Amino acid sequence: MLFQIAWKNIWRNKTRSLLVMGSVVMGLWVGAFMMAYAFGMIDQRLQDAVKNEISHFQSHHPKFEIDNEVKYFLSEGPEMLRKIRLDKRVKAATGRVIVNGMVSSANYSTGGRFIGIIPAFENEVTGLQDKLTEGAYFDENSRNKVIIGERLAEKLKVKLRSKIVLTFQDSTGNILAGAFRIRGLYKTYNATYDETNIFVRAMDIDQLINLPGQYHEIAALIHDPGKLDTVITDLTVAYPKAKTEDWKDIAPEISLMIESFDQYMIIFLIIILLALSFGIINTMLMAVLERVREIGVLMAIGMNRTKLFFMISLETICLVMAATPFGMLLGYFTVQYLGKTGMDLSAIYQEGYAAYGVQSYIYPKLEDIYYIRVMCMVIVTALLASIYPAITAIRLNPIKAIRKI
Amino acid sequence: MNNLPPVIITEDLTKVYDEGAIPVKAVNQVNLQIDQGEFTALVGPSGSGKTTLLNMIGGLDRPSSGKVWVDGKNLGAMKKNQLIDFRLHNIGFVFQAYNLIPVLTARENIEFVMLLQKASKKERNHRVLELLREVGLQDKMNNRPDELSGGQQQRVAVARALASKPKFVLADEPTANLDSKTAANLLDIMSKLNQEEGITFIFSTHDQRVIDRAHRVITLVDGAIESDELIANASDHIESV
């Protein structure tokens, strides 16, 4: 009957209860949506980073990562690439020659990363060809041609077929300069990436740096990311001179972003729930103070303080739990719908998101466990929020309470 | 009088309210003995200490000094929860303003006390129907308090007070808000229960209709007992209990 009383008490003041329930629904809806939005954004950033930039794993000379010196190439690069490409767990793999230097046009000079690629393999790994917005991809007639980002082209004030000069060091430290013609322009969702990376054919650049047929980097995608650790272990055993790392080690900032994201979301939810708890406390306190006389009678006829405390808590939980399914369902269906259709924020956030390497087309997603987690947090909030009103109730003196008009 | 020891004893019972600037002695060294099955009225003008005395006997209020023994137990020595439990199993309260739980029906209001006592469903159903019949409200059992008249509400309150099968019913001005006919009807019910079930009734009242039915009338003035009269025809009844 305590439950019955609690449930009936909620509906004594319909407007007030509906307002609190509305705020619970809104809180859960917004909470679920914001989590899904941020998860979708993070997931997209990870997918883009893996697909466009870092792949599932990369192999380098152990010292290459420190200062990207040309002399630190993979000693068994071609053999390693061949073996990796034959591995059935590997979806695609490519070798790269990487040189840092200066890129200059008639108008402007800036730092750049010149990536010598095997066009067909690169396309399998990063889909570079699909990212072209102008011009054409490399073919056998593309000698001394480059593909640069649209943003870099704007910066250098060059266009398709313009000539640019790449200046860099060879493997012995000599400064070299080479003229290249722009064959294509590409665009990804990462502004920094587009402004920095310049693609040339590996065969055009390896000769210049005196490392014919060698690679500084092997990048690969695998079919099942769950087997990433095993693949890396096998490669490390087979090629101990090379350092093979997964995407988490290559791009720790993304890994950190994902790992810290859970904590951000908990903080975010706590803020929502804290605001909610004040609303609940206020409502329940009003409900208690409106019923002082009735509570006095309950105490007089023999309701002990434990039961009274339980009744007020139950009332609070009923109030919140009645609204929770609506908030959760609203959040769930919103996330499901927008997860399918996506949210196009290009009109407002494109530039800002591009600076962080994030697409402006977001697909919100949220794992089921998060809904359950949110629901548990809401119940805990309701329980905590009920403590003060319940204590207020049990502290009442039955005599004074009964006399209360 | 019967030969059994009194069920309610007060010894120099005093209650002083010192919340204001001047302490007020609401009950002043009251020594009282009440036997089982009495139908007693505490009378006196407003502020004479009737309700305060009733509340202390019922364990709702604690004395400033002196002792209250109810059914052999010193209420002053009990902890809060023990007192609540004692009230639940031994004392039924009827208030002037009925004080029913507004969200529950007449039946649920009566049943609630038995739920607190953890009575079985079968026992609850049986007792609730029995009480509703006693107070003549079988046809109103599913009505909520706001759907009942004042008299009907007070009858439900009496049934609620009796639901726990208490040894004592303490009624604070139970007829104050009722018209003559309803008040008479209610007193008939309580009188019948007193006679048939031997429940001790103590009323705090200044309603002549209640005083006329009482077997014993204790008059309080300024917190002290001024007179304590046994009504002749009532004595016979008490003897018979």
Side-chain angles (χ1 to χ4, degrees):
Chain A
M1 194 176 276
L2 281 185
F3 175 80
Q4 202 181 345
I5 295 178
W7 179 252
K8 286 179 177 176
N9 275 334
I10 291 174
W11 301 110
R12 279 184 169 189
N13 191 328
K14 286 194 183 76
T15 312
R16 191 174 59 202
S17 294
L18 284 172
L19 270 173
V20 173
M21 289 164 85
S23 61
V24 171
V25 171
M26 282 299 288
L28 287 170
W29 187 24
V30 171
F33 171 74
M34 286 307 290
M35 282 172 78
Y37 175 80
F39 265 123
M41 197 169 76
I42 294 281
D43 188 60
Q44 219 145 331
R45 171 72 191 110
L46 174 62
Q47 300 298 335
D48 287 346
V50 167
K51 177 72 184 146
N52 300 329
E53 302 161 36
I54 50 181
S55 309
H56 282 131
F57 70 85
Q58 291 183 359
S59 297
H60 302 99
H61 184 286
K63 288 185 177 172
F64 180 76
E65 281 179 351
I66 300 165
D67 47 16
N68 284 199
E69 278 192 57
V70 176
K71 63 184 177 186
Y72 296 125
F73 61 93
L74 285 162
S75 57
E76 300 166 290
E79 166 64 11
M80 199 176 169
L81 177 60
R82 196 179 64 80
K83 279 273 177 61
I84 290 173
R85 284 185 64 82
L86 287 173
D87 191 323
K88 285 187 176 155
R89 293 170 297 182
V90 175
K91 189 175 165 188
T94 189
R96 292 170 187 149
V97 178
I98 298 172
V99 185
N100 290 321
M102 291 286 292
V103 53
S104 312
S105 68
N107 302 301
Y108 195 79
S109 293
T110 184
R113 193 165 189 252
F114 314 136
I115 306 173
I117 60 168
I118 307 162
F121 292 179
E122 185 68 33
N123 204 31
E124 284 173 7
V125 175
T126 60
L128 181 60
Q129 192 171 359
D130 298 335
K131 296 183 183 81
L132 292 183
T133 53
E134 274 186 73
Y137 196 54
F138 296 114
D139 59 20
E140 59 274 14
N141 302 317
S142 313
R143 191 164 182 271
N144 290 345
K145 297 282 184 346
V146 290
I147 292 174
I148 68 169
E150 270 186 9
R151 285 170 187 275
L152 181 61
E154 278 171 31
K155 214 168 163 183
L156 294 171
K157 295 186 178 129
V158 290
K159 52 189 180 183
L160 219 53
R161 286 181 287 280
S162 294
K163 201 178 264 185
I164 55 172
V165 175
L166 308 184
T167 310
F168 46 88
Q169 282 185 319
D170 67 9
S171 58
T172 54
N174 296 319
I175 305 286
L176 300 170
F180 291 77
R181 199 170 287 280
I182 297 170
R183 181 172 169 78
L185 298 177
Y186 73 88
K187 189 181 181 187
T188 70
Y189 300 107
N190 188 337
T192 314
Y193 183 88
D194 292 4
E195 282 176 14
T196 315
N197 294 294
I198 297 159
F199 294 97
V200 296
R201 293 191 312 175
M203 64 174 72
D204 292 342
I205 202 164
D206 61 2
Q207 301 286 346
L208 291 171
I209 58 169
N210 291 324
L211 293 173
Q214 299 299 330
Y215 306 117
H216 290 107
E217 179 174 285
I218 291 174
L221 294 174
I222 60 171
H223 290 291
D224 178 6
K227 290 180 180 161
L228 192 53
D229 287 346
T230 326
V231 174
I232 288 170
T233 308
D234 293 351
L235 279 171
T236 306
V237 171
Y239 300 98
K241 287 182 192 166
K243 190 179 179 189
T244 303
E245 299 166 292
D246 65 12
W247 62 267
K248 287 181 194 165
D249 292 328
I250 300 162
E253 73 282 0
I254 296 175
S255 171
L256 182 72
M257 192 158 78
I258 292 167
E259 279 167 16
S260 56
F261 186 66
D262 261 6
Q263 290 157 24
Y264 292 146
M265 278 300 105
I266 287 170
I267 293 169
F268 175 70
L269 271 179
I270 285 173
I271 293 169
I272 288 183
L273 294 175
L274 207 62
L276 200 61
S277 67
F278 282 109
I280 297 169
I281 290 172
N282 182 42
T283 301
M284 288 311 298
L285 204 56
M286 281 169 77
V288 165
L289 296 176
E290 273 173 8
R291 283 161 33 209
V292 165
R293 190 158 150 173
E294 192 180 313
I295 290 167
V297 171
L298 289 174
M299 290 168 102
I301 64 174
M303 183 181 239
N304 63 34
R305 287 181 295 174
T306 312
K307 280 204 175 79
L308 187 58
F309 191 98
F310 182 64
M311 189 182 83
I312 303 293
S313 300
L314 199 62
E315 222 170 289
T316 317
I317 291 171
C318 282
L319 183 70
V320 173
M321 288 310 289
T324 300
F326 294 103
M328 299 296 271
L329 284 174
L330 204 57
Y332 178 79
F333 287 119
T334 306
V335 170
Q336 290 298 311
Y337 176 74
L338 290 175
K340 277 183 190 148
T341 60
M343 294 168 65
D344 185 5
L345 303 174
S346 53
I348 34 178
Y349 289 134
Q350 192 166 26
E351 288 299 313
Y353 278 176
Y356 292 99
V358 178
Q359 286 192 42
S360 49
Y361 214 88
I362 308 287
Y363 291 88
K365 60 184 280 189
L366 194 61
E367 287 174 37
D368 292 348
I369 186 73
Y370 283 92
Y371 292 101
I372 295 165
R373 201 188 277 186
V374 169
M375 200 165 76
C376 292
M377 287 177 85
V378 168
I379 295 170
V380 171
T381 305
L383 272 173
L384 293 176
S386 71
I387 291 175
Y388 181 59
I391 286 177
T392 307
I394 62 170
R395 276 190 180 162
L396 289 173
N397 176 322
I399 290 295
K400 287 181 183 167
I402 291 167
R403 283 188 195 142
K404 184 106 178 168
I405 296 166
Chain B
M1 296 289 266
N2 61 35
N3 297 322
L4 296 169
V7 285
I8 295 171
I9 302 169
T10 70
E11 293 176 357
D12 293 331
L13 196 64
T14 302
K15 180 71 184 180
V16 181
Y17 290 112
D18 52 3
E19 288 165 7
I22 306 160
V24 177
K25 219 172 228 182
V27 172
N28 189 8
Q29 294 192 312
V30 168
N31 290 291
L32 189 67
Q33 294 190 349
I34 294 175
D35 293 329
Q36 192 186 337
E38 279 194 21
F39 203 72
T40 300
L42 296 174
V43 301
S46 294
S48 59
K50 307 183 292 291
T51 302
T52 306
L53 178 59
L54 202 68
N55 287 338
M56 285 193 287
I57 291 171
L60 283 174
D61 211 352
R62 289 188 186 271
S64 305
S65 65
K67 286 178 182 171
V68 188
W69 297 82
V70 179
D71 206 24
K73 293 190 176 63
N74 179 4
L75 300 192
M78 286 186 183
K79 289 179 182 165
K80 261 188 184 174
N81 271 344
Q82 285 176 314
L83 260 181
I84 291 174
D85 203 49
F86 182 79
R87 289 201 297 266
L88 175 64
H89 291 95
N90 296 283
I91 301 173
F93 289 95
V94 180
F95 305 97
Q96 180 180 344
Y98 330 130
N99 290 335
L100 299 174
I101 301 170
V103 293
L104 299 182
T105 61
R107 182 199 171 101
E108 289 165 344
N109 261 290
I110 299 165
E111 194 182 359
F112 186 68
V113 181
M114 298 179 74
L115 270 166
L116 293 176
Q117 286 183 317
K118 298 188 175 106
S120 69
K121 191 170 174 60
K122 192 179 163 188
E123 197 182 338
R124 291 196 317 260
N125 283 341
H126 176 74
R127 180 79 176 150
V128 168
L129 291 175
E130 184 188 350
L131 287 166
L132 280 165
R133 201 168 42 244
E134 292 271 12
V135 298
L137 286 174
Q138 302 100 303
D139 57 333
K140 300 281 182 190
M141 67 162 83
N142 294 319
N143 289 50
R144 287 201 315 218
D146 58 359
E147 296 162 343
L148 300 172
S149 68
Q152 287 169 333
Q153 284 190 56
Q154 196 60 304
R155 274 145 72 188
V156 175
V158 169
R160 176 178 70 181
L162 296 167
S164 62
K165 295 190 175 170
K167 290 175 183 154
F168 315 95
V169 170
L170 308 183
D172 187 12
E173 307 275 7
T175 54
N177 295 339
L178 305 179
D179 59 59
S180 298
K181 195 180 166 191
T182 313
N185 177 255
L186 190 79
L187 287 167
D188 284 344
I189 292 166
M190 292 199 272
S191 184
K192 186 171 167 248
L193 288 163
N194 167 251
Q195 286 172 28
E196 288 177 0
E197 298 192 23
I199 299 166
T200 307
F201 278 81
I202 305 174
F203 300 89
S204 143
T205 186
H206 48 239
D207 185 343
Q208 195 55 47
R209 296 168 298 190
V210 180
I211 298 165
D212 290 345
R213 298 284 191 106
H215 309 145
R216 182 181 175 188
V217 177
I218 300 166
T219 309
L220 291 171
V221 175
D222 295 334
I225 296 176
E226 192 189 60
S227 68
D228 186 351
E229 295 171 78
L230 273 179
I231 311 299
N233 59 348
S235 303
D236 299 338
H237 158 68
I238 293 166
E239 285 291 338
S240 71
V241 169

